[in-house]
Amino acid sequence: GENVEQHPSTLSVQEGDSAVIKCTYSDSASNYFPWYKQELGKRPQLIIDIRSNVGEKKDQRIAVTLNKTAKHFSLHITETQPEDSAVYFCAPRESGAGSYQLTFGKGTKLSVIP
Amino acid sequence: IAGITQAPTSQILAAGRRMTLRCTQDMRHNAMYWYRQDLGLGLRLIHYSNTAGTTGKGEVPDGYSVSRANTDDFPLTLASAVPSQTSVYFCASSEGGLAGGHTGELFFGEGSRLTVL
């Protein structure tokens, strides 16, 4: 199965600074790379995703970059705000395989200090 | 409101008791999942279902069973609860596999907090 690691496990940044979270995976067949955000006491929700035919995708202050050769992808948050404080999870997967065993990383707790 | 509903939201249970967590979705999604979330361990897959009538084991299936009699419902049963099953349980659904133009997005329920004493 897929081996997924996230780094760092915790991250504290000053409001307005940037934050980067990295996800490494083992399955070279993975071709879908999402990031989920889970606020305290809430359910995880998709915030951005990328497919392997694209190297980078941006949505306002968040972006995801992919390095398929090195088997890692990263979440970038610019101009961080207190509402960005949450736990972020990556969950790389392979499409079309008929397998639905999604493996999540253990999460990165981001704290944005006002 | 369309989405995925779990019940109960919270439950305290004596060890050895049987418990079923309910999950219903109204999005006509083919795939459904059960995850447990424990501090420091992220989200771990218990069981999943690709489509109605089929189920599969995830990373941590022992002590749990599921059924998928129809598209909408995916209950999770603990036959004889043990304290190590104390956790927050999330049900999720997705359109299906990523082929055929489906998105890969998982939609989660609000979670069921289970405490086994």
Side-chain angles (χ1 to χ4, degrees):
Chain A
E2 179 88 271
N3 184 30
V4 180
E5 293 189 1
Q6 281 183 236
H7 295 282
S9 56
T10 60
L11 180 59
S12 292
V13 299
Q14 290 292 136
E15 183 177 357
D17 287 351
S18 295
V20 181
I21 303 169
K22 184 177 180 179
C23 181
T24 61
Y25 60 95
S26 60
D27 188 352
S28 57
S30 293
N31 56 6
Y32 174 67
F33 308 95
W35 285 97
Y36 287 81
K37 175 184 181 182
Q38 186 179 26
E39 297 176 1
L40 187 63
K42 302 286 183 65
R43 72 187 87 187
Q45 291 187 294
L46 180 73
I47 55 169
I48 195 166
D49 57 12
I50 194 171
R51 299 198 182 221
S52 60
N53 57 344
V54 178
E56 179 177 358
K57 182 178 178 181
K58 293 183 72 173
D59 183 3
Q60 299 182 351
R61 295 187 299 106
I62 61 173
V64 54
T65 58
L66 172 65
N67 185 328
K68 265 211 107 181
T69 303
K71 291 189 280 188
H72 64 75
F73 62 110
S74 297
L75 175 69
H76 304 256
I77 306 174
T78 59
E79 300 173 33
T80 54
Q81 300 170 4
E83 53 264 38
D84 295 328
S85 295
V87 179
Y88 293 83
F89 295 96
C90 62
R93 67 180 286 193
E94 179 186 356
S95 70
S99 170
Y100 296 79
Q101 295 200 43
L102 306 184
T103 301
F104 281 79
K106 288 182 169 52
T108 297
K109 182 177 181 180
L110 173 64
S111 300
V112 179
I113 304 163
Chain B
I1 299 175
I4 187 162
T5 303
Q6 291 184 233
T9 56
S10 180
Q11 182 76 43
I12 299 174
L13 187 67
R17 297 296 296 270
R18 180 183 180 90
M19 177 72 194
T20 295
L21 303 179
R22 301 184 297 279
C23 177
T24 300
Q25 53 104 357
D26 62 2
M27 298 175 281
R28 307 304 293 172
H29 283 171
N30 287 318
M32 296 187 76
Y33 317 81
W34 274 105
Y35 287 89
R36 61 176 289 173
Q37 186 172 36
D38 304 290
L39 193 63
L41 296 176
L43 293 153
R44 293 183 292 168
L45 183 65
I46 304 170
H47 286 286
Y48 65 94
S49 170
N50 295 352
T51 188
T54 68
T55 63
K57 294 182 179 180
E59 180 185 356
V60 288
D62 294 343
Y64 306 95
S65 63
V66 292
S67 62
R68 187 88 185 277
N70 56 60
T71 297
D72 298 343
D73 301 301
F74 191 45
L76 176 74
T77 297
L78 289 67
S80 179
V82 295
S84 62
Q85 292 177 311
T86 294
S87 187
V88 179
Y89 291 86
F90 284 98
C91 181
S93 69
S94 67
E95 286 184 341
L98 294 173
H102 293 147
T103 73
E105 181 174 2
L106 261 64
F107 293 83
F108 286 86
E110 292 194 3
S112 297
R113 181 176 295 275
L114 183 66
T115 302
V116 183
L117 301 176

